[in-house]
């Protein structure tokens, strides 16, 4: 029930915004967020914008995952191809 | 906007990190509770359990609002509607939850009760606005994610001077429930903390649990990549002997949370003791309308007689919610109780761990 989706603010009138959710336009109440402006990405829950979706942080998390993957493949590739590592390992006791 | 993708090789890399950390911790197994029902659903739907190393045990927690709402709440809602000729507006998840005496909101609707399933409390407000002669009672359930939106709707009702819109207050708070789970004896090495509850309350809300009770906390997003990363962060805390609050879901969650939403919630509601299915009464774990909003409070202004409820004695939802029992260990699971004929709320809600186990099998 805590599902929440990212939406882009298209326009604003008072506490009501028109937002774009994956190509669909709908109304959202923005009274719970300070300083929202068109172009911002917000999190939508039960008809309200409840938080800001920070794209720069999203990119950082993605970069971290890429780095982890690269570091692991660099370390393991000579001895252990990645295909073999997937799902077939066992923890040593 | 695309979801957080898992770059090629990231699953293997995270698995290795988790395995290395468990090895370093000297433990055979770490037990982590995903508190939030939306996490439970994401974990099962993505098959994540099968991607985790065998040393990680995930336990579902009490974070499914429908599941923890006690039957008395639904009994009161139905009695209120019948006594006062009121309409009920509810989030759809509540429709099929069993109330006492074998009924539910869905069955009552089939029997003629005016029950409206809504996406937003603003839909309930609209329903009331369009029917000035009809009392509309909104079933205010959900955690800190939802409570500010309901508070926003209450303020709007007040501004518009609506006199036929009421709330049956049933909101609950997550951190006190986490503490109750620990106090109840669940053996846990870490918490995967709810992402969207934390958008509102901020990661600092878990400091008492991490620092005070020594159980590491990581606030996680809902993509498989988020959850794997959070498990790795928890495993590393455990291996290092740290017990901190960390945020994996940085794109949406901050330490402080959403101050405006917190203030809106506090302006309308006050913290009170609350009854949780399975966990009993937890001090300071629920929200009631403040006296200033008493005229909207269905429990105060629309009194109804409610008899003590009787839950099905065989149903063990309570132990499942407290992290003490796995759904397939319940004697009713997949026999008397299935999503088609649910006995308890954990089988009704798509976020309930019984429904997740039933749908996706034992992973």
């Amino acid at each position: 029930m805590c599902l929440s989706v990212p939406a882009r603010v298209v326009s604003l009138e008072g506490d009501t915004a028109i937002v774009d959710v994956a190509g669909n336009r709908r109304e959202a109440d923005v009274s719970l967020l300070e300083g929202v402006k068109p172009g911002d990405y917000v999190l939508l829950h039960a008809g309200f914008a409840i938080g800001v979706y920070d794209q720069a942080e999203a990119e950082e998390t993605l970069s971290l995952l890429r780095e982890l993957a690269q570091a692991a493949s660099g370390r393991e590739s000579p001895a252990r191809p990645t295909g073999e590592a997937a799902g077939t390992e066992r923890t040593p006791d | 906007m695309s979801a957080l993708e898992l770059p090629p090789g990231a699953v293997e890399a995270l698995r290795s990190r988790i395995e290395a950390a468990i090895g370093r911790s000297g433990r055979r197994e770490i037990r982590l509770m995903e508190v939030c029902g939306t996490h439970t659903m994401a974990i099962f739907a993505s098959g994540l359990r099968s991607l985790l190393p065998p040393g990680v045990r995930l336990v579902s927690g009490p974070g499914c609002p429908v599941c923890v709402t006690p039957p008395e709440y639904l009994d009161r809602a139905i009695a209120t509607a019948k006594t006062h000729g009121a309409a009920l507006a509810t989030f759809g998840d509540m429709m099929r939850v069993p109330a006492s005496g074998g009924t539910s909101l869905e069955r009552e609707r089939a029997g003629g009760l005016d029950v409206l399933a809504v996406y937003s409390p603003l839909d309930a407000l609209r329903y009331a606005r369009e029917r000035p002669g009809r009392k509309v009672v909104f079933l205010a359930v959900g955690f800190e994610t939802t409570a500010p939106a309901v508070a926003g709707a209450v303020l709007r009702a007040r501004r518009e001077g609506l006199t036929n819109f009421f709330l049956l207050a049933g909101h609950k708070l997550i951190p006190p429930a986490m503490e109750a789970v620990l106090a109840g004896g669940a053996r846990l090495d870490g918490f995967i903390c709810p992402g969207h509850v934390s958008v509102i309350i901020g990661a600092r809300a878990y400091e008492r649990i991490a620092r005070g009770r020594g159980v590491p906390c990581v606030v996680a997003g809902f993509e498989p990549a988020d959850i794997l990363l959070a498990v790795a962060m928890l495993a590393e805390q455990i291996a290092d002997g740290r017990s901190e609050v960390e945020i994996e879901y940085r794109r949406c969650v901050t330490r402080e949370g959403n101050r405006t939403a917190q203030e809106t919630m506090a302006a309308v509601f006050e913290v009170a003791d609350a009854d949780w299915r399975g966990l009993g009464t937890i001090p300071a774990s629920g929200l009631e309308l403040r006296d200033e909003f008493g005229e909207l409070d269905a429990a105060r202004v629309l009194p109804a007689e409610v008899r003590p409820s009787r839950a099905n004695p065989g149903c063990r939802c309570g132990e499942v919610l407290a992290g003490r029992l796995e759904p397939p260990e319940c004697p009713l699971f997949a026999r008397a109780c299935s999503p088609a004929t649910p006995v308890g709320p954990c089988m009704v809600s798509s976020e309930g761990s019984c429904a997740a186990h039933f749908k996706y099998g034992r992973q």
Side-chain angles (χ1 to χ4, degrees):
Chain A
M1 222 172 99
C2 286
L3 276 178
S4 184
V5 292
R8 188 173 51 85
V9 177
V10 178
S11 62
L12 270 170
E13 200 180 320
D15 279 341
T16 304
I18 301 296
V19 297
D20 183 305
V21 184
N24 298 306
R25 301 256 161 137
R26 58 179 309 158
E27 271 189 12
D29 185 308
V30 294
S31 62
L32 299 175
L33 267 188
E34 206 65 43
V36 184
K37 51 188 189 309
D40 287 352
Y41 281 88
V42 296
L43 274 174
L44 208 60
H45 171 79
F48 284 74
I50 60 161
V52 172
Y53 185 100
D54 186 330
Q55 287 181 291
E57 287 286 1
E59 267 307 313
E60 291 235 344
T61 304
L62 191 54
S63 311
L64 170 70
L65 288 168
R66 286 202 191 102
E67 280 166 29
L68 285 174
Q70 271 164 15
S73 70
R75 197 173 61 236
E76 292 172 2
S77 58
R80 197 166 54 173
T82 44
E84 194 187 306
T88 55
E89 293 171 89
R90 291 283 175 272
T91 27
D93 272 328
Chain B
M1 177 172 321
S2 62
L4 185 70
E5 62 184 276
L6 261 169
V11 171
E12 294 77 11
L14 287 167
R15 261 181 71 104
S16 312
R17 277 181 90 103
I18 295 166
E19 282 182 337
I22 295 174
R24 210 148 49 81
S25 74
R27 297 175 197 229
R28 179 167 294 193
E29 182 185 81
I30 57 170
R31 286 170 62 90
L32 309 177
M33 174 174 276
E34 92 271 1
V35 177
C36 169
T38 311
H39 275 144
T40 300
M41 194 165 64
I43 286 164
F44 276 92
S46 63
L48 202 69
R49 283 187 169 200
S50 65
L51 294 178
L52 288 168
V56 179
R57 182 81 180 272
L58 291 182
V59 183
S60 301
C64 157
V66 167
C67 304
V68 297
T69 299
E72 291 81 6
Y73 179 87
L74 272 178
D75 295 347
R76 177 167 295 282
I78 293 167
T80 302
K82 287 184 173 170
T83 308
H84 298 278
L88 297 177
T90 176
F91 292 121
D93 313 42
M94 293 292 285
M95 291 296 283
R96 297 183 60 229
V97 178
S100 297
T103 190
S104 67
L105 293 175
E106 190 178 59
R107 288 193 182 179
E108 292 294 336
R109 182 165 71 176
L113 209 65
D114 190 0
V115 184
L116 176 78
V118 297
Y119 155 74
S120 165
L122 297 177
D123 300 335
L125 213 60
R126 188 173 311 120
Y127 196 71
R129 197 184 294 130
E130 289 165 359
R131 293 165 185 75
R134 188 143 179 86
K135 296 183 176 75
V136 177
V137 179
F138 178 68
L139 304 191
V141 299
F143 298 122
E144 293 94 329
T145 320
T146 311
V150 174
V154 166
L155 293 176
R156 221 186 240 214
R158 170 61 64 84
R159 269 200 311 273
E160 292 181 17
L162 278 182
T163 55
N164 62 331
F165 177 76
F166 304 90
L167 283 194
L168 191 57
H171 288 301
K172 292 187 167 39
L173 306 174
I174 283 290
M178 291 165 66
E179 297 206 37
V181 163
L182 291 175
R187 202 168 47 76
L188 297 173
D189 301 305
F191 281 113
I192 299 172
C193 298
H196 292 145
V197 161
S198 308
V199 167
I200 304 294
I201 66 176
R204 65 175 178 170
Y206 308 105
E207 290 291 348
R208 260 176 65 149
I209 290 160
R211 300 207 190 271
R213 307 210 52 143
V215 182
C217 291
V218 173
V219 179
F222 298 91
E223 299 296 331
D226 290 312
I227 299 168
L228 268 176
L229 191 51
V231 169
M233 290 164 78
L234 283 169
E236 285 173 1
Q237 281 202 44
I238 294 163
D240 298 346
R242 288 180 289 127
S243 178
E244 299 165 3
V245 183
E246 293 181 298
I247 308 172
E248 180 283 325
Y249 197 27
R250 305 189 74 92
R251 61 193 184 280
C252 296
V253 174
T254 60
R255 288 255 150 213
E256 305 298 315
N258 178 345
R259 288 281 176 99
T260 308
Q262 291 166 16
E263 285 162 14
T264 306
M265 190 161 53
V268 171
F269 296 112
E270 61 190 347
V271 175
D273 298 351
D275 293 332
W276 294 61
R277 195 190 289 253
L279 298 170
T281 303
I282 305 176
S285 69
L287 296 176
E288 283 180 2
L289 277 165
R290 289 192 176 278
D291 287 343
E292 301 94 282
F293 298 94
E295 79 269 23
L296 278 78
D297 190 348
R300 290 188 224 187
V301 299
L302 303 175
E305 201 178 322
V306 183
R307 279 181 291 178
S309 72
R310 280 214 318 264
N312 186 308
C315 173
R316 297 178 70 180
C317 266
E319 288 158 89
V320 170
L321 290 165
R324 295 197 299 269
L325 192 80
E326 285 275 296
E329 291 167 355
C330 173
L332 302 185
F333 181 81
R335 295 183 184 91
C337 184
S338 71
T341 54
V343 175
C346 299
M347 189 61 95
V348 177
S349 170
S350 61
E351 298 182 348
S353 50
C354 295
H357 272 264
F358 187 94
K359 186 166 177 195
Y360 297 105
R362 204 165 178 177
Q363 295 178 354

